[in-house]
Amino acid sequence: MDFAFKDEHIAFSDSIRKFLMVEAAPEWLREIWETETGRSRELRGKLAEQGLTALSVPEEFGGIGAGDLEWVLIHQELGYYAIPDSLIDTAYLATYLLNRLPAADASLKKTWLPKIADGSARIAVGHPVNPMVADAQNADLILMWHDDEVHALTKDQVKLSFNPSIDMSRRLYKVSWTPSDATRICPARLGKQLWDGVLDRAALAGAAQLVGLTQRMLDLGIDYSATRKQFGKPIGSFQAVKHHLADVAVKAEFAKPVLYRAAYATEREQARRGVYVSHAKLAAGEAAWLGARKSMQVHGAMGYTWETDLQMFMKRAWALDAAWGDRAFHKKRIADFILADGARLGPGETFA
Amino acid sequence: MRLEYTERQNKFRAEIREWLAANVPKQPLQSFDTEEGFRQHREWEHRLNGGHWSAVTWPEHLGGRGVDLIEWLIFEEEYWRAGAPLRVNQNGIFLLAPTLMEYGTEEQKKRFLPRMAAGDDIWAQGWSEPGAGSDMAAIRCKAIRDGDHYVINGQKTWSTRAVWADWLFGLFRSDPDSVRHHGLTFVLLPLNLPGITIRPIKQLNGLPGFAEIFFDNVRVPVENRMGEEGQGWNVAMATAGFERGLMLRSPGRFQQTAKALVDLYKAEEKNVDDCSLRDAVVKSWMDAEAYTLATYATAGRLRKGEHIGPEASTNKIFWSELDLSMHETAMRLLGPRAELMEGSPDGGNIGHWLEGFLFAQAGPIYAGSNEIQRNIIAERMLGLPR
Ligand SMILES: Cc1cc2nc3c(=O)[nH]c(=O)nc-3n(C[C@H](O)[C@H](O)[C@H](O)COP(=O)(O)OP(=O)(O)OC[C@H]3O[C@@H](n4cnc5c(N)ncnc54)[C@H](O)[C@@H]3O)c2cc1C
């Protein structure tokens, strides 16, 4: 029984953290927010240089072949730094789908996996749990759900309408399209399982980002409360302020092991994977919302401004909480599990 | 990362499960806050010890099995799962013993631990005083050196199970001119010494679960001191660390409650038109799982030689709030029947929810109130200014 990550995974995520700390300063992210596509070739190029786009791609296609446990550390960093890029949809979710396509579709893999690995392709993923498709506009390929089938579309095959999100790092589109034999790349029989795998990984990635975001908002609150003075003292010396931030620390502390169990169960394809992922998403979402609320409170009016960086992280947290399954969706998955007849619950059943 | 049990751990689980199935009393014992219940629980401790189950993490020569913290968690899971009696000697076995292992002399360990494991000595804690609650450094009860004895004068209060316990451990002011954390000494003493008066205090449920203790020139031999004279604060903090951190409330307890709550929900759902209840039940299961996972993660770290830091304070807040919210949910599910005391002839077998609800009220107060824990988290974990 050991929750420790492999040394090399920790070393890799440490190096990514240091890289993002230097390269993804909030000022630059704001600039990217303001652009029309909301995406930056330069940022994407740098992420690719770090090997992030190649993580899930098998070695034979120029990638690294990493698993969900390695990713979960990276997702936390991407959340902490609120990275505005379609990296996760492309390099984690779409790659998961493409990797598992029937052998007959070798050509799709051959075309796309190397491009994903080297960072040159962006792929969007459309699933009915989300009303919109993120990053459809600047995607080179769009993978869509239709009755559990997987369809692959290029932009000339779809009509897109842009729907602005409060989180300007998210670029959401309503996608209108017509499924046909020509667009189908996987039948429902196999697709069902693949889409389940995509949904769980997307929710897991969301949970991990939310844990990272919680930590970021907590850190911003701590920094601010140490420097802002009122009544002749740093506001962080006031107990009410301390307790706001302590409450966030408690939630964050107890979301992490839940997240790690979910990642472990996902990597091993355990039967309870979905329940554990839903648990992680809920715990992380709650922590992040509390982190946003409390950090906002600690910042006073400063927190209510566009200028203060906190807003970037709060908005991300508010949005990600309901992406890839809102709380009702994930609670229902847990309720179905714990309320089922003969459910194995209680002491001794935690790692089943 | 490896979130699976080893063969050895599975065997250990099977062994304790089998023993408990054969030995846990079929009839629930009376509350250990009654004289007869206390006696029954002491007897149960004898029985546990007969199977070498009363303190599994201790070395074998002191009455334990020398197992690690993961196996301790497994033991606890099985214990709660089996519905075995509450541990009347919990203060001794889970709180004093780890400190004794660290600060006690070899002689003290041999003298106290085997009798503790057997339930021959049941222990109470003596920190709090009328003027020293959250502010424990305000302790005034004196233990003044007189030759090879300490002479104790003053008062302790809120001492759990002191009404029928045999021994007390606690902090006393050995240097009358000292202030705050200085000049305190950690002393172990039998509660039947001349000069000791114990006045039971009734708790919310009407039973005398704790007591005031008055000391009038009580003489305690110097060899009953643990650690150095005047160093008691550090010794006590080690106990507080264990208490908050890991051993006071093992996760099995809350998982068992969460499971019972799921069953209660399934039974009562049709009678209660309140759609927020399902949500509360789901949350209970999630939080009991989260507490379990966090505890396993901590145990894993400790096993590798790491220490519990100020993040232990997050534990205390988490489990006490979880326990409260689970019992609040149960009360809401039971509606107008929730107020019925255990033994009400037409209540059905639900009184334990009320009992648990009452006890849950104390969770955010004892073992360092949750406000104090938040202060610790903010100042020592997050580094906010004092
Ligand atoms: C069921 C139960 C069993 C107990 N068993 C034992 C035992 O066996 N041995 C023993 O020695 N003691 C025991 N205690 C006592 C327990 O340790 C104290 O109740 C606890 O330390 C709080 O002290 P107090 O009750 O004096 O409350 P106070 O310290 O008076 O606190 C009252 C309120 O003020 C708040 N407060 C106090 N100081 C601060 C601060 N600095 N910042 C913010 N808020 C603050 C508290 O959080 C609390 O909400 C037990 C208590 C209970 C309820």
Side-chain angles (χ1 to χ4, degrees), chain A residues 1-6 69 218 222 225-226 234 236-237 239 241-243 245-247 249-251 253-254 257-258 260-261 264 268 270 275-276 278-279 282-283 286 328 331-332 334-342 345-351, chain B residues 1-5 9 13 70 76-78 80-81 252 255-256 259 262 265-266 278-279 281-283 285-287 289-294 296-297 300 303-304 311 313-315 317-318 370-372 374-375 377-379 381-386:
Chain A
M1 213 41 86
D2 183 6
F3 276 76
F5 284 84
K6 283 194 185 137
L69 272 171
L218 180 58
I222 293 169
S225 70
S237 63
Q239 201 172 55
V241 170
K242 284 184 174 151
H243 288 196
L245 296 174
D247 284 341
V250 172
K251 283 263 189 260
E253 201 67 17
F254 284 88
V258 172
Y260 299 152
R261 174 175 70 171
Y264 185 85
R268 308 227 155 182
Q270 290 179 351
V275 174
Y276 291 168
S278 285
H279 184 185
L282 288 164
E286 238 186 69
K331 270 183 194 157
K332 177 159 187 338
I334 294 181
D336 287 347
F337 167 70
I338 66 172
L339 299 177
D341 289 332
L345 309 176
E349 302 293 350
T350 304
F351 298 99
Chain B
M1 189 172 301
R2 195 195 130 90
L3 305 186
E4 271 134 73
Y5 296 105
Q9 289 165 344
R13 185 188 292 282
I70 301 292
E76 287 284 307
E77 285 173 351
E78 291 306 315
W80 286 97
R81 184 186 172 116
Q255 291 190 294
Q256 191 64 18
K259 179 180 193 305
V262 167
Y265 176 80
K266 284 165 129 178
R278 191 192 78 161
D279 203 60
V281 171
V282 166
K283 181 125 183 58
W285 177 81
M286 292 200 309
D287 285 351
E289 286 286 295
Y291 184 63
T292 307
L293 292 165
Y296 268 98
R303 201 168 48 156
K304 290 185 187 165
E311 74 278 5
S313 288
T314 62
N315 272 17
I317 294 176
F318 197 83
N370 286 12
E371 286 73 29
I372 297 297
R374 286 183 171 91
N375 293 348
I377 292 167
E379 288 166 11
M381 182 176 165
L382 307 181
L384 294 185
R386 283 180 187 247

Side-chain angles (χ1 to χ4, degrees), chain A residues 304-348:
Chain A
Y304 196 65
T305 65
W306 190 268
E307 284 315 310
T308 304
D309 291 337
L310 177 64
Q311 60 123 338
M312 306 172 74
F313 306 96
M314 291 199 297
K315 290 170 178 173
R316 195 104 250 248
W318 292 332
L320 286 185
D321 182 54
W324 293 102
D326 58 13
R327 292 197 202 174
F329 175 90
H330 289 291
K331 270 183 194 157
K332 177 159 187 338
R333 293 215 302 181
I334 294 181
D336 287 347
F337 167 70
I338 66 172
L339 299 177
D341 289 332
R344 287 177 52 193
L345 309 176

Side-chain angles (χ1 to χ4, degrees), chain A residues 239 243, chain B residues 91 124-136 156-161 168 203 209-210 359 361-372 375:
Chain A
Q239 201 172 55
H243 288 196
Chain B
N91 286 338
Q125 310 187 74
W127 316 116
S128 304
E129 298 178 7
S134 299
D135 185 12
M136 204 168 95
K156 292 286 174 189
T157 190
W158 314 129
S159 188
T160 296
R161 291 187 277 290
L168 180 85
Q203 297 183 325
F210 43 33
F359 188 56
Q361 305 299 316
I365 294 169
Y366 63 76
S369 81
N370 286 12
E371 286 73 29
I372 297 297
N375 293 348

Side-chain angles (χ1 to χ4, degrees), chain B residues 67-336:
Chain B
V67 304
D68 68 15
L69 284 172
I70 301 292
E71 278 154 321
W72 175 70
L73 284 168
I74 293 170
F75 168 81
E76 287 284 307
E77 285 173 351
E78 291 306 315
Y79 195 86
W80 286 97
R81 184 186 172 116
L86 293 173
R87 302 298 300 272
V88 67
N89 215 4
Q90 134 141 347
N91 286 338
I93 291 173
F94 294 143
L95 305 183
L96 175 60
T99 317
L100 254 170
M101 301 277 182
E102 199 173 329
Y103 289 92
T105 61
E106 277 314 306
E107 215 210 317
Q108 285 174 326
K109 290 181 203 170
K110 282 202 209 96
R111 177 172 165 212
F112 293 118
L113 291 172
R115 289 183 58 81
M116 188 190 290
D120 293 335
D121 296 334
I122 309 285
W123 288 79
Q125 310 187 74
W127 316 116
S128 304
E129 298 178 7
S134 299
D135 185 12
M136 204 168 95
I139 280 174
R140 284 169 50 191
C141 191
K142 289 194 184 58
I144 304 297
R145 185 77 176 254
D146 176 21
D148 51 6
H149 281 78
Y150 288 104
V151 181
I152 304 193
N153 278 290
Q155 182 189 350
K156 292 286 174 189
T157 190
W158 314 129
S159 188
T160 296
R161 291 187 277 290
V163 180
W164 293 288
D166 309 290
W167 279 75
L168 180 85
F169 62 96
L171 266 191
F172 299 86
R173 195 161 291 284
S174 50
D175 175 356
D177 299 325
S178 65
V179 289
R180 309 296 299 160
H181 319 77
H182 309 283
L184 297 171
T185 296
F186 198 112
V187 179
L188 317 172
L189 59 97
L191 282 167
N192 60 3
L193 289 177
I196 293 182
T197 309
I198 295 174
R199 198 179 71 81
I201 307 173
K202 279 190 190 178
Q203 297 183 325
L204 276 189
N205 64 2
L207 297 176
F210 43 33
E212 286 178 295
I213 308 174
F214 299 91
F215 299 87
D216 178 14
N217 285 320
V218 176
R219 295 181 69 82
V220 179
V222 168
E223 65 255 28
N224 283 17
R225 182 186 72 212
M226 185 154 52
E228 295 303 309
E229 186 171 299
Q231 294 300 309
W233 182 263
N234 296 337
V235 182
M237 284 302 108
T239 309
F242 281 111
E243 179 166 359
R244 283 196 294 265
L246 206 60
M247 293 205 135
L248 177 63
R249 290 288 176 260
S250 78
R253 177 189 189 112
F254 305 111
Q255 291 190 294
Q256 191 64 18
T257 306
K259 179 180 193 305
L261 190 60
V262 167
D263 291 339
L264 184 68
Y265 176 80
K266 284 165 129 178
E268 299 293 332
E269 182 188 9
K270 54 190 179 304
N271 307 326
V272 194
D273 191 11
D274 176 349
C275 57
S276 70
L277 280 165
R278 191 192 78 161
D279 203 60
V281 171
V282 166
K283 181 125 183 58
S284 297
W285 177 81
M286 292 200 309
D287 285 351
E289 286 286 295
Y291 184 63
T292 307
L293 292 165
T295 308
Y296 268 98
T298 306
R301 286 195 293 113
L302 292 178
R303 201 168 48 156
K304 290 185 187 165
E306 294 176 37
H307 289 281
I308 302 191
E311 74 278 5
S313 288
T314 62
N315 272 17
K316 164 71 210 302
I317 294 176
F318 197 83
W319 66 249
S320 58
E321 292 186 350
L322 164 62
D323 198 40
L324 251 182
S325 82
M326 287 197 291
H327 284 94
E328 283 168 358
T329 304
M331 296 292 278
R332 286 167 54 207
L333 271 164
L334 290 168

